[in-house]
């Protein structure tokens, strides 16, 4: 078997040594929102400790009966640093020996470690959220809670967002780099006349490995469905009922904020000095298709006092101008607006 290419060897040295950074950076973070703390709270998980506003989060979680979070709950802190040291040493040894077999083994070990870490985190979350104290101040019969593995989740009026932190992204980057190096060494960078006979890993396996890493480490953000009659407007606190006028924004962390009226959403953005370019989604109900959310920035709006929206913003959204014009014809006084004009007028 041919030795590794010089580029692969150099990349392996860099990737392996970069894992040293995980000793000095948090691996994971959990952000928490609650009515008492609209600015949010955060907790960081390191290789051997916790940091952030852990005690404040414990105080909030105590109300619903969750256990007190402390470092003693995580026996993994006793050996995680040694596991990372093993991966650093294995990567450096692979580069030194220039072994393709070891490179493939390194990738398999990285995927197994990632899968084991995610499962371990999920298991801890399950235990933490399903064994609630019967003496909690807030008790809901049958209530249990699975904290999010990746992404955002709500429990009552609490919201939690979970995502890799700087150290976690170092692991993600190393995993992706090793996948690319394996793909190059075993298939894509081979001479054309050697692809079939000398490739030790089939294209199908490479695709499978790519898909596995992507499924473990990706989390696509999307607007959340609005639960009409159950959720309250973030701005005015009224229950969201009308499927023709509700709206929603999703920030860069994936947290969704929902409103019963377009005017509430605009006022919330302005009051909190949010930059629209920093919002992942700004969506509004389509007046002609109640309950269907459309992009506010491309929608056409109709303003008329005869619309009578919940908080009297009296502005409706449409997916196209012809639909807006058709509804406009039914009112004595109405005006077609763009999203920019709506935002400036409210």
């Amino acid at each position: 078997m041919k030795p590794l290419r010089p580029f692969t060897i150099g990349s392996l040295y860099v990737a392996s040594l970069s894992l040293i950074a995980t000793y000095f950076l948090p691996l994971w973070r959990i952000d928490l929102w609650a009515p008492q703390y609209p600015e949010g709270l955060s907790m960081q998980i390191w290789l051997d400790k916790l940091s952030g506003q852990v005690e404040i989060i414990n105080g909030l979680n105590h109300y619903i009966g969750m256990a007190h979070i402390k470092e003693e709950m995580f026996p993994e802190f006793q050996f995680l640093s040694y596991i990372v040291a093993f991966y650093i040493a294995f990567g450096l040894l692979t580069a030194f020996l220039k072994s393709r077999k070891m490179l493939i083994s390194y990738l398999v070990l990285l995927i197994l470690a990632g899968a084991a870490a995610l499962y371990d985190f999920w298991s801890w979350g399950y235990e933490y959220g399903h064994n609630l104290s019967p003496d909690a101040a807030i008790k809901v019969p049958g209530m249990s809670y699975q904290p999010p593995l990746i992404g955002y989740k709500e429990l009552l009026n609490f919201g939690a967002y979970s995502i890799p932190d700087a150290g976690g992204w170092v692991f993600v980057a190393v995993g992706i780099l090793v996948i690319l190096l394996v793909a190059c060494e075993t298939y894509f960078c081979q001479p054309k006349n050697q692809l079939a006979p000398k490739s030790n890993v089939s294209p199908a396996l490479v695709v499978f490995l790519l898909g596995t890493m992507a499924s473990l480490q990706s989390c696509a953000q999307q607007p959340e469905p609005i639960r009409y009659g159950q959720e309250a407007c973030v701005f005015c606190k009224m229950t969201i009922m009308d499927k023709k006028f509700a709206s929603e924004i999703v920030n860069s962390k994936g947290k969704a904020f929902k409103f019963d009226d377009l005017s509430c959403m605009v006022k919330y953005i302005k009051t909190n000095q949010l930059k629209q370019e920093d919002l992942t989604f700004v969506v509004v109900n389509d007046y002609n298709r109640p309950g269907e959310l459309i992009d506010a920035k491309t929608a056409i709006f109709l303003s008329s006092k005869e619309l009578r929206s919940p908080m009297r913003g009296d502005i409706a959204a449409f997916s196209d101008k012809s639909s807006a014009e058709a509804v406009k014809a039914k009112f004595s006084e109405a005006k077609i607006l763009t999203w920019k004009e709506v935002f400036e007028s409210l």
Side-chain angles (χ1 to χ4, degrees), residues 1-10 12 91 93-104 181-182 185-186:
M1 180 178 289
K2 290 184 178 180
L4 297 175
R5 291 174 173 77
F7 174 80
T8 300
I9 295 170
L12 265 179
L93 184 62
T94 299
F96 178 75
L97 297 177
K98 306 176 184 179
S99 170
R100 290 192 181 188
K101 287 185 177 180
M102 289 185 67
L103 175 63
I104 296 171
L181 293 177
V182 169
E185 288 289 336
T186 59

Side-chain angles (χ1 to χ4, degrees), residues 25-42:
L25 297 171
L27 302 181
W28 209 271
R29 68 178 292 123
I30 298 174
D31 295 324
L32 181 71
W33 288 269
Q36 305 95 310
Y37 297 94
E39 72 281 4
L41 302 169
S42 65

Side-chain angles (χ1 to χ4, degrees), residues 1 6 15-16 48 79 109 118 127 132 141 148 198 201 215 250 255 264 284 294 299 338:
M1 180 178 289
S16 302
D48 57 358
F79 54 79
L109 288 172
L118 290 175
E127 181 74 16
L132 304 180
K198 295 193 177 182
V201 177
S215 64
V250 181
K255 177 170 174 55
C264 287
V284 293
I294 58 176
T338 64

Side-chain angles (χ1 to χ4, degrees), residues 31-329:
D31 295 324
L32 181 71
W33 288 269
Q36 305 95 310
Y37 297 94
E39 72 281 4
L41 302 169
S42 65
M43 177 179 74
Q44 288 79 40
I45 303 175
W46 303 62
L47 280 177
D48 57 358
K49 65 179 180 180
L50 300 173
S51 66
Q53 298 155 304
V54 181
E55 290 307 314
I56 299 177
I57 293 174
N58 277 330
L60 288 173
N61 290 347
H62 176 73
Y63 285 106
I64 56 177
M66 289 184 173
H68 193 84
I69 300 175
K70 49 189 177 181
E71 292 180 357
E72 291 77 9
M73 296 174 64
F74 300 89
E76 297 88 345
F77 287 160
Q78 303 300 317
F79 54 79
L80 277 177
S81 58
Y82 297 105
I83 292 178
V84 175
F86 166 78
Y87 277 90
I88 294 172
F90 193 95
L92 293 176
L93 184 62
T94 299
F96 178 75
L97 297 177
K98 306 176 184 179
S99 170
R100 290 192 181 188
K101 287 185 177 180
M102 289 185 67
L103 175 63
I104 296 171
S105 299
Y106 193 40
L107 173 58
V108 172
L109 288 172
L110 284 171
I111 292 176
L112 290 176
L118 290 175
Y119 176 75
D120 184 58
F121 187 34
W122 179 88
S123 298
W124 172 83
Y126 184 89
E127 181 74 16
Y128 181 68
H130 284 72
N131 292 325
L132 304 180
S133 171
D135 301 321
I138 301 175
K139 294 189 287 289
V140 179
M143 185 179 76
S144 61
Y145 177 59
Q146 178 67 46
L149 183 62
I150 300 177
Y152 178 75
K153 200 169 186 179
E154 290 184 358
L155 172 64
L156 301 177
N157 60 345
F158 294 81
Y161 185 73
S162 173
I163 195 172
D165 211 324
W169 289 118
V170 171
F171 274 109
V172 171
V174 170
I176 292 174
L177 177 59
V178 174
I179 283 178
L180 295 175
L181 293 177
V182 169
C184 178
E185 288 289 336
T186 59
Y187 185 75
F188 294 110
C189 299
Q190 294 282 352
K192 290 184 179 180
N193 61 346
Q194 296 181 12
L195 284 179
K198 295 193 177 182
S199 177
N200 295 297
V201 177
S202 70
L205 178 57
V206 172
V207 172
F208 170 75
L209 293 174
L210 288 167
T212 301
M213 287 296 289
S215 64
L216 290 175
Q217 298 164 341
S218 67
C219 178
Q221 296 179 359
Q222 291 293 333
E224 292 182 2
I226 298 174
R227 301 194 298 273
Y228 299 95
Q230 302 179 46
E231 296 185 279
C233 172
V234 174
F235 187 77
C236 71
K237 310 305 180 185
M238 299 295 289
T239 302
I240 304 174
M241 301 293 294
D242 199 324
K243 295 183 178 182
K244 292 184 176 181
F245 297 101
S247 57
E248 178 181 339
I249 60 175
V250 181
N251 65 17
S252 58
K253 291 185 176 182
K255 177 170 174 55
F257 300 84
K258 302 167 188 179
F259 309 89
D260 65 342
D261 194 302
L262 186 58
S263 64
C264 287
M265 181 174 75
V266 172
K267 290 174 183 176
Y268 182 87
I269 293 173
K270 291 181 177 179
T271 300
N272 291 277
Q273 299 180 337
L274 303 178
K275 295 181 180 180
Q276 292 191 58
E277 56 268 25
D278 294 335
L279 298 176
T280 306
F281 294 99
V282 180
V283 291
V284 293
N285 275 159
D286 188 328
Y287 184 83
N288 279 346
R289 293 190 287 272
E292 181 176 324
L293 294 171
I294 58 176
D295 188 349
K297 297 176 183 178
T298 59
I300 303 298
F301 297 88
L302 180 66
S303 174
S304 172
K305 292 298 180 183
E306 297 179 68
L307 284 167
R308 303 189 65 82
S309 65
M311 299 307 294
R312 298 314 309 270
D314 297 335
I315 297 177
F318 300 84
S319 57
D320 58 81
K321 190 171 183 179
S322 60
S323 298
E325 292 283 4
V327 176
K328 178 185 176 184

